[in-house]
Amino acid sequence: MADDNSYESMLCVKPEVHVYRIPPRASNRGYRAADWKLDEPAWSGRMKITAKGKLAYIKLEDKNTGELFAQAPVEQYPGCVVESVTDSSRYFVIRIEDGNGRHAFIGLGFADRGDSFDFNVALQDHFKWVKQEGELAKQEASESTAPKLDLRFKEGQTIKISIGQNIKKKEAGGAKSRPMAMGLLPPPPAGKVGGVIPPTVGQPTVSAVQTTADPASLLDFGSPGPSAPPSADVWGDFTSAGSNSSKDAVQSGWVQFS
């Protein structure tokens, strides 16, 4: 955010503060509030902390009329404008200015520790924001001066995209046979359906029924007849047996299922 002298924001307001006259600093070890006359403040009123751009202002005003008693412009915190005392967290030494180049140091005290805590936090937050804004401005300045990468196509430059090759690779990959699911048996080989082994070339045809027993005794249901001659058809015996058994079933009174 750029500095705006016409806009002033409010950071903190405390309805009651006390101002003390302080003696000159005796040593470099700091100020002590115990050296002040804490029961006899020189002035009491309202305190405001405002911000205009990067500067913060500590303003002391009359609590009834709002008349300005003194103010202290703060350029950084912690700094020489606001200094804590060594023996208390409720008292500070601030440097006030009259607008003509003259300044003086006064003691500032709060009746409650929570008020002094808010005073600290308001100044810390403001200058934390000022620091972040400064870092952001430096980063933007460095990015604006850095050469930009030109990704535009040069004159006569082309680009080639091979779409057909990718599709062929995908189809080739999808045509691979899937592995057989676990737990399923493969189908029986051709020629072994029903337990009958097909005859080999050059060998006489023998039915499965003839290898086990006499077909005349197995297919004899009461009507004797001449046995059929051997046939080259491996299913010949089963066909004759089926035809004879169906005729006998009709003669004996059984229902014929087709």
Side-chain angles (χ1 to χ4, degrees):
M1 181 185 295
D3 294 345
D4 187 1
N5 295 327
S6 63
Y7 179 75
E8 186 175 17
S9 60
M10 187 71 63
L11 303 180
C12 181
V13 178
K14 293 302 174 183
E16 185 176 5
V17 295
H18 305 290
V19 173
Y20 302 91
R21 293 186 177 93
I22 59 175
R25 190 196 304 243
S27 62
N28 293 330
R29 64 180 182 180
Y31 293 96
R32 296 179 68 253
D35 298 336
W36 309 344
K37 297 180 180 180
L38 299 179
D39 55 346
E40 298 179 1
W43 181 88
S44 296
R46 179 176 58 200
M47 184 207 69
K48 290 181 180 179
I49 301 178
T50 62
K52 184 182 294 186
K54 296 181 179 180
L55 287 178
Y57 295 88
I58 302 174
K59 296 183 178 182
L60 303 176
E61 300 175 347
D62 187 277
K63 64 176 64 176
N64 297 321
T65 63
E67 182 181 359
L68 182 64
F69 172 75
Q71 72 173 1
V74 184
E75 296 181 357
Q76 63 179 2
Y77 183 79
C80 61
V81 178
V82 181
E83 186 177 351
S84 301
V85 298
T86 59
D87 57 345
S88 178
S89 61
R90 295 189 295 116
Y91 298 93
F92 302 86
V93 175
I94 63 174
R95 187 183 69 176
I96 59 175
E97 297 182 2
D98 61 355
N100 296 322
R102 295 182 301 178
H103 64 270
F105 290 93
I106 61 174
L108 180 67
F110 298 89
D112 187 80
R113 295 184 186 278
D115 294 340
S116 62
F117 176 80
D118 294 341
F119 173 80
N120 257 320
V121 170
L123 292 174
Q124 288 174 359
D125 288 349
H126 172 72
F127 287 100
K128 182 180 180 180
W129 171 82
V130 171
K131 182 179 179 180
Q132 291 176 351
E133 288 293 314
E135 293 176 352
L136 183 60
K138 290 180 181 179
Q139 183 178 357
E140 292 177 351
S142 61
E143 291 178 355
S144 61
T145 56
K148 295 182 179 180
L149 183 62
D150 187 8
L151 300 178
R152 295 176 299 176
F153 284 101
K154 305 299 186 295
E155 184 177 357
Q157 186 177 5
T158 59
I159 185 170
K160 182 179 180 181
I161 301 176
S162 300
I163 300 178
Q165 296 179 0
N166 297 332
I167 295 177
K168 291 180 180 179
K169 290 181 180 179
K170 185 176 181 182
E171 291 177 353
K176 295 181 180 178
S177 61
R178 296 183 178 179
M180 185 179 296
M182 299 299 293
L184 299 178
L185 295 176
K192 292 187 178 181
V193 179
V196 179
I197 303 175
T200 59
V201 178
Q203 294 182 358
T205 304
V206 181
S207 64
V209 178
Q210 290 176 348
T211 60
T212 58
D214 187 5
S217 61
L218 291 175
L219 301 177
D220 188 6
F221 291 96
S223 58
S227 60
S231 175
D233 187 7
V234 70
W235 301 102
D237 292 339
F238 286 95
T239 305
S240 61
S243 61
N244 293 334
S245 61
S246 62
K247 291 179 182 179
D248 295 339
V250 172
Q251 294 174 2
S252 61
W254 290 91
V255 179
Q256 181 180 5
F257 294 93
S258 59

